[in-house]
Amino acid sequence: MVLNVVVSASGSSPYSFAGVVGSGEQLRSLPVPGANSVSVTFSEEVFVTQDALLLTNLDGASPSTVTDFVYDRPTQTATWTFGSTFADGRF
């Protein structure tokens, strides 16, 4: 089970979805200028790969390819970092 999703960028505070699930807040714009990474924390250890995340902007444009992927076993968190920042849009 997914416990949390965090969107972040270097130099900006990360945005966590942990407290907004089911509230409608997940539909608002994210306060993360220059966002280029997504982290997912799981409730248990999982087998996850770089190709396990598909991030698509609903206008059809997608961010660049993943340039770094890390799975941290102690925290059960997978982090995908993209080569460019996410464009404005609905992902």
Side-chain angles (χ1 to χ4, degrees):
M1 178 168 85
V2 172
L3 296 178
N4 193 13
V5 176
V6 174
V7 176
S8 59
S10 51
S12 294
S13 297
Y15 183 82
S16 170
F17 284 90
V20 300
V21 173
S23 69
E25 290 296 311
Q26 69 267 31
L27 302 175
R28 295 191 186 278
S29 296
L30 298 180
V32 185
N36 71 333
S37 72
V38 175
S39 297
V40 178
T41 302
F42 298 93
S43 61
E44 59 190 272
E45 187 174 332
V46 296
F47 177 75
V48 62
T49 66
Q50 179 172 320
D51 297 328
L53 178 71
L54 176 62
L55 188 62
T56 303
N57 189 334
L58 294 180
D59 72 3
S62 294
S64 65
T65 59
V66 173
T67 57
D68 190 38
F69 171 77
V70 176
Y71 179 69
D72 183 53
R73 289 178 74 188
T75 64
Q76 299 161 184
T77 301
T79 301
W80 292 263
T81 303
F82 292 80
S84 63
T85 59
F86 304 153
D88 288 342
R90 298 180 312 154
F91 289 88

